[in-house]
Amino acid sequence: MAKTILIVDDSDSIREVVKFTLENEGYNVLVGVDGKDALKHLNGQPIDLVITDLHMPEMDGIELIKKIRVTPGYERIPILFLTTESQAAKKMEAKEAGATGWIIKPFVPAKLLAAINKVIR
Amino acid sequence: MDSFRKKFIEEATELIDKLEVALLDLEKNPEDETLVQQVFRIMHTLKGNSAMFGFELIDNFTHNLETIYDQIRNNELELSKPILDVTFACVDHLKSMLDEQNYNDPDFKTIHSGLVEKIDAIINPQKPEGKVESNSKPEAKGVTSTYYILFEPNADIFKNGTNPLYLLDELCSLGDYKVFAHFNRVPQIAEINPDECYTYWEVLLATDKDESVIHDVFIFVESDSTLEIQKLGEENLVADQTFIKEVENLAEVQKDVGLVAIQRLAKVAISNINKRKAEKFTKERIAVKDKTASSIRVSSDKLDTLMNLVSELVTTQARLSLFSEQNNIPGLNPIVENVQKLTRQLRDIAFSIVLIPIENLFGRFQRLVRDLSAELNKDVEFIVEGADTELDKTIIENLSDPLMHILRNSMDHGIEEARVRIANGKPAKGKIVLKAFYSGASVIIQVIDDGAGIDPEMIHAKAISKGLVLPDKKMSKKEILDLIFLPGFSTAKKVTDVSGRGVGMDVVRKKIYDIRGEVEVDSEKGIGTTITIKLPLTLSIIDGLLVSINKSPYVVPLSAIDKIYAVEKDKIYNTFNNLITLDGSQIPFFSLRKEFDLEPSNEELEQVIVVNFEDESVGLVVDYVIGEYQAVLKPLGKHYKNHDIFSGATILGDGTVALVMDTNKIIKMFAIGNKE
């Protein structure tokens, strides 16, 4: 069965290109424009991976990760966050919040898929 | 893809607008560091986004532009009006870059390359024309190293959604691997908490990737696990069966192997591998050495000098031998014998140095035949045999022209046109074989074609018409064929481009004689022609037999000699037909005393030297046989040039000169003399 990936980002273009890349690879893709918007998908449906940006209006990435880790049924799902090279300090913060790993922006599709392959099969 | 390209362009336009505003602010407040940061950040975002969406041109362009502001914020560069001017120009250019339709416009290209140059000049003021080097790093080192990796995840590794097995999978995809999973920390089943990880792994990985690539595998978990990565050596130890076996045994006995134990085993394994490598290396080195030894290049001047010196040494050694014989000095004889032996060895080696394979020459002929095939429109198969046969380089150099001529003849007169060949029941494709081989102390070179052959009657008639022979003279086929070597004889009906360049077979024969060779022709009409060239291996020194006739010394080449008999004088002088019975067979002979117009000797016994002459044995009678002699051939002076029954002269130990006989020519000359 196709794995389901939830992508959360406030940039239209990033969402679009990530969605396009993942759907091309045969994943089901759910999208959220920010943390708050993303939570609506945690309705009991199976989600295999969450990819989230860190800076977002309404609810940022760190808060979203924390929320996911306490939502029944989603406590152990892998979460990758999108970051830039200059945000090293954020990495630890996100990890402590419960993130599995990260993807450094900007990325090419191959790099994105390699990171996903590290956490789901 | 188009929909989010559009979105990117929207976002990029916003970014560029923001950049413009920030730059205008910066121009007013050049000391404001936050504005510099802002400009840099916008450029960085623009660069990142364009890379993601495939706008490579913007990516590359912004990369260098961004570097300027990176240097400014790091105080490596001072913001100046020229820099701002360039940046504003770049902003305008970036706007036009968002429309890819502009990319092929010549004006666009001019602006683009102009700006790129200006940016480069700002980044690298010391080399304004220099291009910024690509920042691509070499990815693989190409050298396979073996790493020991201990991966011991924290018990709560699953909490964040990490699956350690995926990481191991990724690790193993890097190269050759051997994984040891350890379960010794797994508690009793009742105590197991399924949310915790009890397993840890030791991995041996042989990879040509950098150590940082291994670290990257564990990048997400490095802070939540014990990770040890140690290079064991620059070898593929995983491929070393002995080493792996030992580690496996250790893993069975111990609960885990541990780095220290593995390092100890690895050390042994590496030293074994190195030993094997060293052996191989030494072998290769020796092989290389052998190869170089066989191909040292020496100038031919040096070789000529060497040959001259060896010749002198041979002569001097002969004098020494003679001196020792004449003066019975105790203890001298063994020394003389030793010097003789060494001289002979030295001579042989000096000989072999100047010998080169004839293939150097044959290669040229392949080309000649190919070109002639096209020119004459004759399809010819050219076969070369024995190209590795070695000959004195001087001989080879002098052989080129005669052989070239013979091959031309074969192509032009020998091989018939395809339709003639088919009509005569031959394959349409002609065949020429160039063959070289050793025959005793000689080298034989043959050019064999399967062409029209030579018609003896035609040759004979032609020779008569040219006044070269008398019409009523009876001649054997061989004698007739030999006529083609006479000066002024040409078999070609008309002069063609290929042969008939005013050079006849007479010139060929003369050139071969010059290098002490002989040439013969054999042909069967309609079947083909064979030209045989017989050459001495070398020119300058020969093994000879020193004989004397009427107290004068002569040298007979040892290579020609078959046997020597002592025969009573009466048997020699009392025959009429010049035949003598030796070992039950009749052998024709010549008394050299008689042929040289000397009185018969007073000795009771004469020496008959039996030599090979054209597959027959012929006896040459001399007074005495003195013994074997290494003769250094010296050419006869120009006054003796026509005495070609002697191929040269040699100087004996006591300084006297001995003539070196050319037995073939002697026999030929005396045979004709006796007939007439």
Side-chain angles (χ1 to χ4, degrees):
Chain A
M1 210 187 87
K3 303 261 181 192
T4 302
I5 299 177
L6 167 63
I7 52 176
V8 191
D9 200 308
D10 61 331
S11 157
D12 276 2
S13 56
I14 297 272
R15 269 200 322 270
E16 292 280 320
V17 77
V18 171
K19 187 172 190 276
F20 178 83
T21 308
L22 296 182
E23 282 180 344
N24 248 1
E25 286 295 310
Y27 292 109
N28 285 330
V29 179
L30 306 169
V31 290
V33 296
D34 56 45
K36 206 175 165 192
D37 183 43
L39 288 175
K40 72 178 185 213
H41 292 293
L42 307 179
N43 57 3
Q45 65 171 319
I47 295 173
D48 298 289
L49 170 68
V50 177
I51 299 174
T52 177
D53 195 12
L54 288 181
H55 296 290
M56 289 179 292
E58 296 289 333
M59 185 193 284
D60 70 7
I62 305 284
E63 215 185 322
L64 173 65
I65 293 166
K66 285 180 183 161
K67 276 265 175 1
I68 294 172
R69 286 287 175 244
V70 295
T71 307
Y74 299 100
E75 297 101 327
R76 304 249 183 278
I77 64 167
I79 305 171
L80 298 178
F81 58 95
L82 296 169
T83 177
T84 61
E85 285 154 78
S86 48
Q87 293 172 314
K90 280 277 174 199
K91 270 188 207 166
M92 275 332 288
E93 205 187 319
K95 279 223 76 171
E96 273 157 25
T100 315
W102 57 89
I103 298 165
I104 292 170
K105 285 192 289 190
F107 52 81
V108 290
K111 218 168 140 191
L112 173 71
L113 295 171
I116 291 172
N117 215 30
K118 265 186 189 323
V119 290
I120 59 168
R121 293 285 161 94
Chain B
M1 215 56 192
D2 270 344
S3 67
F4 42 81
R5 264 193 122 82
K6 228 156 114 193
K7 285 217 170 69
F8 160 76
I9 290 168
E10 272 172 38
E11 282 181 3
T13 314
E14 269 177 49
L15 285 169
I16 294 169
D17 288 343
K18 270 194 212 164
L19 180 63
E20 200 164 15
V21 174
L23 279 170
L24 288 167
D25 280 355
L26 188 62
E27 193 170 28
K28 281 178 215 149
N29 311 296
E31 302 299 317
D32 193 341
E33 278 181 26
T34 55
L35 284 173
V36 175
Q37 288 284 5
Q38 200 185 337
V39 168
F40 173 78
R41 258 205 320 274
I42 297 168
M43 285 174 176
H44 188 76
T45 312
L46 183 64
K47 178 184 107 173
N49 286 4
S50 44
M52 269 177 61
F53 288 91
F55 282 80
E56 272 177 31
L57 198 66
I58 300 181
D59 177 21
N60 294 336
F61 184 76
T62 329
H63 175 77
N64 288 349
L65 190 59
E66 177 200 65
T67 310
I68 296 177
Y69 287 88
D70 192 30
Q71 288 178 357
I72 292 172
R73 69 176 186 164
N74 293 329
N75 296 321
E76 289 162 18
L77 197 68
E78 208 184 327
L79 185 68
S80 63
K81 181 146 193 318
I83 291 180
L84 279 169
D85 286 346
V86 171
T87 318
F88 278 116
C90 287
V91 168
D92 293 338
H93 185 58
L94 279 169
K95 282 180 190 166
S96 71
M97 279 171 110
L98 289 175
D99 186 357
E100 281 179 283
Q101 281 173 345
N102 289 334
Y103 284 16
N104 289 321
D105 183 51
D107 287 345
F108 175 90
K109 283 182 181 166
T110 316
I111 293 171
H112 187 81
S113 52
L115 286 173
V116 167
E117 266 176 45
K118 278 181 186 163
I119 295 168
D120 287 353
I122 294 168
I123 303 172
N124 300 308
Q126 69 277 18
K127 43 168 189 171
E129 78 288 353
K131 289 261 187 294
V132 174
E133 302 92 314
S134 75
N135 52 355
S136 69
K137 289 172 229 148
E139 289 206 336
K141 292 185 299 175
V143 181
T144 300
S145 301
T146 305
Y147 295 90
Y148 165 85
I149 298 138
L150 170 70
F151 174 40
E152 217 176 318
N154 284 356
D156 62 357
I157 185 96
F158 301 139
K159 197 183 72 186
N160 279 354
T162 303
N163 186 339
L165 292 178
Y166 294 160
L167 302 179
L168 287 166
D169 256 12
E170 194 185 340
L171 182 68
C172 293
S173 70
L174 297 177
D176 285 355
Y177 58 90
K178 180 82 195 165
V179 180
F180 299 94
H182 298 294
F183 306 109
N184 51 313
R185 289 181 198 161
V186 181
Q188 295 294 312
I189 192 140
E191 293 163 32
I192 287 182
N193 175 355
D195 283 345
E196 291 200 344
C197 177
Y198 301 106
T199 318
Y200 63 100
W201 293 267
E202 283 177 304
V203 181
L204 291 171
L205 176 74
T207 179
D208 56 358
K209 303 277 191 311
D210 218 74
E211 197 173 319
S212 65
V213 179
I214 301 174
H215 269 287
D216 279 351
V217 172
F218 298 101
I219 193 157
F220 293 163
V221 297
E222 244 171 334
S223 53
D224 321 309
S225 16
T226 309
L227 183 69
E228 210 173 318
I229 300 173
Q230 277 294 335
K231 192 195 236 180
L232 295 177
E234 289 187 342
E235 302 290 342
N236 184 348
L237 289 172
V238 179
D240 188 333
Q241 290 305 322
T242 341
F243 173 68
I244 290 296
K245 254 260 110 60
E246 281 172 340
V247 177
E248 275 173 355
N249 290 341
L250 210 62
E252 253 173 59
V253 180
Q254 281 169 235
K255 281 178 183 153
D256 55 1
V257 189
L259 179 62
V260 180
I262 283 193
Q263 270 176 335
R264 183 170 49 76
L265 291 176
K267 225 178 199 170
V268 177
I270 286 172
S271 87
N272 283 338
I273 288 174
N274 284 342
K275 229 182 263 166
R276 284 201 294 275
K277 265 193 189 162
E279 274 165 26
K280 204 175 151 218
F281 182 71
T282 319
K283 267 184 207 153
E284 275 167 10
R285 271 286 289 275
I286 290 168
V288 169
K289 242 183 177 173
D290 281 355
K291 235 180 187 171
T292 43
S294 69
S295 65
I296 282 178
R297 295 185 75 88
V298 181
S299 82
S300 51
D301 285 356
K302 282 184 185 172
L303 287 181
D304 290 345
T305 313
L306 177 70
M307 290 303 281
N308 273 336
L309 288 174
V310 170
S311 304
E312 292 301 322
L313 182 65
V314 167
T315 309
T316 311
Q317 178 266 317
R319 283 179 62 189
L320 181 65
S321 296
L322 188 74
F323 179 80
S324 164
E325 254 170 57
Q326 288 167 346
N327 306 278
N328 197 5
I329 303 166
L332 181 61
N333 216 28
I335 300 172
V336 170
E337 276 174 14
N338 213 23
V339 170
Q340 189 172 6
K341 193 179 89 190
L342 291 173
T343 308
R344 186 177 293 274
Q345 286 175 355
L346 192 61
R347 183 204 69 174
D348 286 349
I349 284 178
F351 267 14
S352 62
I353 289 173
V354 295
L355 296 183
I356 54 172
I358 203 162
E359 78 185 301
N360 297 354
L361 193 60
F362 283 11
R364 251 182 273 170
F365 297 141
Q366 297 273 18
R367 183 62 203 277
L368 174 82
V369 171
R370 200 190 142 273
D371 290 353
L372 283 180
S373 280
E375 197 177 317
L376 299 167
N377 198 19
K378 288 176 180 175
D379 197 7
V380 175
E381 183 187 3
F382 183 58
I383 300 164
V384 169
E385 289 173 16
D388 55 348
T389 309
E390 288 185 324
L391 260 174
D392 190 309
K393 69 175 173 57
T394 342
I395 298 180
I396 287 184
E397 279 160 17
N398 287 299
L399 203 56
S400 175
D401 285 353
L403 270 179
M404 198 87 96
H405 187 84
I406 293 168
L407 275 171
R408 278 210 183 96
N409 272 346
S410 284
M411 290 289 295
D412 200 13
H413 313 310
I415 304 291
E416 315 91 325
E417 279 172 31
R419 57 179 176 81
V420 179
R421 291 181 63 89
I422 293 165
N424 291 337
K426 286 183 181 180
K429 196 174 191 178
K431 189 163 124 181
I432 297 178
V433 182
L434 180 59
K435 200 167 158 183
F437 56 93
Y438 295 107
S439 167
S442 312
V443 168
I444 312 283
I445 296 169
Q446 287 184 315
V447 179
I448 306 158
D449 70 52
D450 70 342
I454 301 168
D455 184 351
E457 282 171 30
M458 207 188 83
I459 301 285
H460 196 208
K462 197 168 179 187
I464 293 167
S465 76
K466 291 208 168 196
L468 294 169
V469 286
L470 297 168
D472 54 348
K473 193 186 171 195
K474 256 192 124 33
M475 290 175 87
S476 70
K477 182 187 164 195
K478 191 168 167 30
E479 282 169 325
I480 292 171
L481 289 178
D482 275 348
L483 292 174
I484 64 164
F485 293 115
L486 289 179
F489 191 96
S490 176
T491 53
K493 286 201 185 78
K494 56 175 184 186
V495 171
T496 67
D497 257 3
V498 178
S499 50
R501 290 169 194 238
V503 185
M505 286 301 279
D506 58 318
V507 178
V508 169
R509 182 165 69 170
K510 194 186 165 299
K511 288 202 165 170
I512 289 172
Y513 276 1
D514 286 348
I515 46 176
R516 295 216 336 266
E518 290 158 42
V519 58
E520 275 174 21
V521 58
D522 190 17
S523 183
E524 207 63 56
K525 194 184 162 194
I527 306 229
T529 306
T530 298
I531 307 272
T532 304
I533 300 168
K534 189 178 173 191
L535 294 161
L537 265 177
T538 184
L539 292 175
S540 46
I541 308 182
I542 58 162
D543 274 320
L545 188 73
L546 194 61
V547 300
S548 84
I549 301 167
N550 198 27
K551 290 180 182 151
S552 296
Y554 294 88
V555 173
V556 183
L558 216 52
S559 57
I561 298 174
D562 198 7
K563 271 181 180 174
I564 304 168
Y565 296 92
V567 180
E568 283 141 40
K569 190 171 140 190
D570 295 352
K571 285 191 181 168
I572 305 283
Y573 292 98
N574 295 338
T575 54
F576 301 101
N577 53 3
N578 271 18
L579 279 173
I580 189 169
T581 307
L582 294 168
D583 283 346
S585 54
Q586 285 200 316
I587 292 174
F589 73 91
F590 301 103
S591 166
L592 293 180
R593 257 184 186 270
K594 196 173 141 199
E595 302 299 341
F596 292 166
D597 290 330
L598 299 167
E599 291 300 310
S601 79
N602 300 321
E603 300 293 326
E604 282 306 304
L605 283 176
E606 305 259 327
Q607 309 293 324
V608 179
I609 300 167
V610 179
V611 299
N612 298 313
F613 173 74
E614 290 176 359
D615 302 328
E616 281 178 58
S617 294
V618 177
L620 295 175
V621 182
V622 299
D623 294 356
Y624 298 107
V625 171
I626 300 164
E628 266 188 58
Y629 186 77
Q630 299 182 58
V632 177
L633 280 185
K634 301 280 179 192
L636 293 171
K638 60 181 175 189
H639 300 299
Y640 304 95
K641 231 179 169 177
N642 297 328
H643 293 253
D644 63 1
I645 60 168
F646 299 110
S647 46
T650 188
I651 300 160
L652 299 182
D654 60 358
T656 49
V657 172
L659 292 171
V660 179
M661 293 184 192
D662 185 327
T663 55
N664 283 334
K665 283 173 194 161
I666 282 179
I667 293 165
K668 259 184 199 164
M669 192 178 101
F670 295 153
I672 293 165
N674 282 347
K675 265 182 209 162
E676 278 169 1

Tab-separated table of all heavy atoms in Angstrom, chain B residues 26-51:
chain	number	residue	atom	x	y	z
B	26	LEU	N	20.207	50.437	2.150
B	26	LEU	CA	21.628	50.238	2.427
B	26	LEU	C	22.462	51.389	1.851
B	26	LEU	O	23.435	51.836	2.461
B	26	LEU	CB	22.095	48.893	1.849
B	26	LEU	CG	23.500	48.441	2.196
B	26	LEU	CD1	23.679	48.249	3.692
B	26	LEU	CD2	23.841	47.152	1.461
B	27	GLU	N	22.038	51.874	0.705
B	27	GLU	CA	22.795	52.948	0.055
B	27	GLU	C	22.778	54.204	0.929
B	27	GLU	O	23.766	54.928	1.022
B	27	GLU	CB	22.215	53.255	-1.327
B	27	GLU	CG	23.130	54.127	-2.168
B	27	GLU	CD	22.660	54.239	-3.618
B	27	GLU	OE1	21.435	54.129	-3.871
B	27	GLU	OE2	23.518	54.433	-4.507
B	28	LYS	N	21.602	54.393	1.582
B	28	LYS	CA	21.493	55.562	2.464
B	28	LYS	C	22.233	55.317	3.770
B	28	LYS	O	22.789	56.238	4.365
B	28	LYS	CB	20.012	55.869	2.737
B	28	LYS	CG	19.344	56.598	1.584
B	28	LYS	CD	17.862	56.818	1.892
B	28	LYS	CE	17.012	56.714	0.639
B	28	LYS	NZ	15.656	56.193	0.934
B	29	ASN	N	22.228	54.088	4.272
B	29	ASN	CA	22.876	53.756	5.552
B	29	ASN	C	23.908	52.652	5.362
B	29	ASN	O	23.696	51.523	5.793
B	29	ASN	CB	21.842	53.291	6.589
B	29	ASN	CG	20.665	54.243	6.683
B	29	ASN	OD1	20.828	55.395	7.078
B	29	ASN	ND2	19.507	53.765	6.266
B	30	PRO	N	24.997	52.970	4.703
B	30	PRO	CA	25.959	51.918	4.371
B	30	PRO	C	26.574	51.226	5.590
B	30	PRO	O	27.133	50.140	5.466
B	30	PRO	CB	27.028	52.640	3.549
B	30	PRO	CG	26.821	54.086	3.748
B	30	PRO	CD	25.420	54.303	4.218
B	31	GLU	N	26.485	51.844	6.762
B	31	GLU	CA	27.084	51.231	7.954
B	31	GLU	C	26.127	50.247	8.634
B	31	GLU	O	26.532	49.531	9.542
B	31	GLU	CB	27.487	52.322	8.974
B	31	GLU	CG	28.461	53.363	8.430
B	31	GLU	CD	29.775	52.757	7.999
B	31	GLU	OE1	30.312	51.896	8.722
B	31	GLU	OE2	30.269	53.113	6.902
B	32	ASP	N	24.901	50.200	8.191
B	32	ASP	CA	23.889	49.378	8.861
B	32	ASP	C	24.099	47.879	8.548
B	32	ASP	O	23.807	47.418	7.447
B	32	ASP	CB	22.489	49.827	8.431
B	32	ASP	CG	21.404	49.243	9.326
B	32	ASP	OD1	21.671	48.234	10.024
B	32	ASP	OD2	20.294	49.771	9.305
B	33	GLU	N	24.570	47.192	9.572
B	33	GLU	CA	24.884	45.770	9.357
B	33	GLU	C	23.650	44.907	9.145
B	33	GLU	O	23.688	43.914	8.432
B	33	GLU	CB	25.701	45.241	10.533
B	33	GLU	CG	27.175	45.580	10.397
B	33	GLU	CD	27.998	45.034	11.544
B	33	GLU	OE1	27.589	44.024	12.151
B	33	GLU	OE2	29.043	45.636	11.822
B	34	THR	N	22.557	45.280	9.818
B	34	THR	CA	21.349	44.456	9.661
B	34	THR	C	20.843	44.507	8.229
B	34	THR	O	20.304	43.526	7.716
B	34	THR	CB	20.227	44.924	10.608
B	34	THR	OG1	19.996	46.314	10.383
B	34	THR	CG2	20.573	44.678	12.068
B	35	LEU	N	21.071	45.661	7.557
B	35	LEU	CA	20.653	45.764	6.161
B	35	LEU	C	21.513	44.856	5.270
B	35	LEU	O	21.007	44.233	4.338
B	35	LEU	CB	20.731	47.221	5.687
B	35	LEU	CG	19.602	48.131	6.186
B	35	LEU	CD1	19.878	49.586	5.808
B	35	LEU	CD2	18.249	47.690	5.618
B	36	VAL	N	22.799	44.794	5.595
B	36	VAL	CA	23.688	43.885	4.839
B	36	VAL	C	23.202	42.451	4.999
B	36	VAL	O	23.080	41.695	4.034
B	36	VAL	CB	25.153	44.025	5.319
B	36	VAL	CG1	26.038	42.995	4.621
B	36	VAL	CG2	25.683	45.417	5.065
B	37	GLN	N	22.897	42.097	6.269
B	37	GLN	CA	22.385	40.761	6.553
B	37	GLN	C	21.124	40.482	5.743
B	37	GLN	O	20.958	39.412	5.169
B	37	GLN	CB	22.049	40.627	8.060
B	37	GLN	CG	23.250	40.560	8.975
B	37	GLN	CD	23.929	39.201	8.942
B	37	GLN	OE1	23.544	38.349	8.161
B	37	GLN	NE2	24.948	39.039	9.771
B	38	GLN	N	20.245	41.500	5.728
B	38	GLN	CA	18.962	41.330	5.037
B	38	GLN	C	19.184	41.072	3.550
B	38	GLN	O	18.585	40.162	2.971
B	38	GLN	CB	18.106	42.581	5.241
B	38	GLN	CG	16.624	42.320	5.004
B	38	GLN	CD	15.822	43.615	5.087
B	38	GLN	OE1	16.255	44.585	5.714
B	38	GLN	NE2	14.660	43.617	4.472
B	39	VAL	N	20.077	41.895	2.964
B	39	VAL	CA	20.380	41.733	1.527
B	39	VAL	C	20.908	40.322	1.274
B	39	VAL	O	20.463	39.615	0.361
B	39	VAL	CB	21.408	42.796	1.063
B	39	VAL	CG1	21.945	42.458	-0.317
B	39	VAL	CG2	20.768	44.168	1.066
B	40	PHE	N	21.842	39.912	2.141
B	40	PHE	CA	22.429	38.573	1.974
B	40	PHE	C	21.353	37.487	2.065
B	40	PHE	O	21.299	36.567	1.249
B	40	PHE	CB	23.504	38.344	3.041
B	40	PHE	CG	24.023	36.934	3.035
B	40	PHE	CD1	24.936	36.512	2.082
B	40	PHE	CD2	23.573	36.006	3.974
B	40	PHE	CE1	25.388	35.212	2.065
B	40	PHE	CE2	24.023	34.708	3.956
B	40	PHE	CZ	24.930	34.307	3.013
B	41	ARG	N	20.479	37.616	3.086
B	41	ARG	CA	19.457	36.586	3.287
B	41	ARG	C	18.511	36.475	2.105
B	41	ARG	O	18.172	35.376	1.668
B	41	ARG	CB	18.682	36.871	4.567
B	41	ARG	CG	19.107	36.009	5.741
B	41	ARG	CD	18.008	35.846	6.775
B	41	ARG	NE	17.232	37.069	7.016
B	41	ARG	CZ	17.599	38.021	7.893
B	41	ARG	NH1	18.708	37.880	8.593
B	41	ARG	NH2	16.845	39.087	8.061
B	42	ILE	N	18.124	37.628	1.577
B	42	ILE	CA	17.201	37.603	0.431
B	42	ILE	C	17.864	36.907	-0.759
B	42	ILE	O	17.273	36.065	-1.428
B	42	ILE	CB	16.749	39.026	0.042
B	42	ILE	CG1	15.959	39.649	1.194
B	42	ILE	CG2	15.889	39.004	-1.213
B	42	ILE	CD1	15.710	41.142	1.045
B	43	MET	N	19.116	37.276	-0.972
B	43	MET	CA	19.851	36.644	-2.084
B	43	MET	C	19.961	35.131	-1.870
B	43	MET	O	19.808	34.344	-2.801
B	43	MET	CB	21.263	37.240	-2.201
B	43	MET	CG	21.272	38.628	-2.797
B	43	MET	SD	22.925	39.293	-2.723
B	43	MET	CE	22.678	40.841	-3.581
B	44	HIS	N	20.213	34.764	-0.620
B	44	HIS	CA	20.380	33.344	-0.291
B	44	HIS	C	19.083	32.570	-0.560
B	44	HIS	O	19.110	31.493	-1.161
B	44	HIS	CB	20.791	33.214	1.175
B	44	HIS	CG	21.167	31.827	1.570
B	44	HIS	ND1	22.363	31.246	1.227
B	44	HIS	CD2	20.479	30.881	2.271
B	44	HIS	CE1	22.422	30.018	1.688
B	44	HIS	NE2	21.284	29.770	2.335
B	45	THR	N	17.980	33.159	-0.152
B	45	THR	CA	16.690	32.505	-0.379
B	45	THR	C	16.409	32.390	-1.871
B	45	THR	O	15.976	31.342	-2.365
B	45	THR	CB	15.568	33.317	0.291
B	45	THR	OG1	15.967	33.615	1.629
B	45	THR	CG2	14.267	32.542	0.322
B	46	LEU	N	16.704	33.484	-2.576
B	46	LEU	CA	16.464	33.489	-4.023
B	46	LEU	C	17.299	32.397	-4.701
B	46	LEU	O	16.816	31.659	-5.555
B	46	LEU	CB	16.831	34.869	-4.582
B	46	LEU	CG	16.567	35.086	-6.075
B	46	LEU	CD1	15.077	35.000	-6.377
B	46	LEU	CD2	17.109	36.435	-6.535
B	47	LYS	N	18.531	32.293	-4.250
B	47	LYS	CA	19.431	31.284	-4.806
B	47	LYS	C	18.883	29.884	-4.547
B	47	LYS	O	18.787	29.049	-5.455
B	47	LYS	CB	20.822	31.418	-4.172
B	47	LYS	CG	21.819	30.371	-4.647
B	47	LYS	CD	23.139	30.468	-3.935
B	47	LYS	CE	23.292	29.320	-2.957
B	47	LYS	NZ	24.637	29.275	-2.369
B	48	GLY	N	18.486	29.638	-3.287
B	48	GLY	CA	17.983	28.319	-2.898
B	48	GLY	C	16.748	27.941	-3.693
B	48	GLY	O	16.659	26.847	-4.248
B	49	ASN	N	15.807	28.886	-3.787
B	49	ASN	CA	14.564	28.594	-4.501
B	49	ASN	C	14.811	28.329	-5.976
B	49	ASN	O	14.247	27.399	-6.553
B	49	ASN	CB	13.581	29.756	-4.340
B	49	ASN	CG	12.968	29.788	-2.956
B	49	ASN	OD1	13.328	28.993	-2.091
B	49	ASN	ND2	12.053	30.723	-2.735
B	50	SER	N	15.691	29.139	-6.583
B	50	SER	CA	15.914	28.952	-8.016
B	50	SER	C	16.596	27.612	-8.277
B	50	SER	O	16.331	26.972	-9.291
B	50	SER	CB	16.719	30.109	-8.601
B	50	SER	OG	17.800	30.448	-7.772
B	51	ALA	N	17.452	27.177	-7.352
B	51	ALA	CA	18.086	25.866	-7.514
B	51	ALA	C	17.031	24.775	-7.484
B	51	ALA	O	17.063	23.840	-8.281
B	51	ALA	CB	19.113	25.638	-6.417
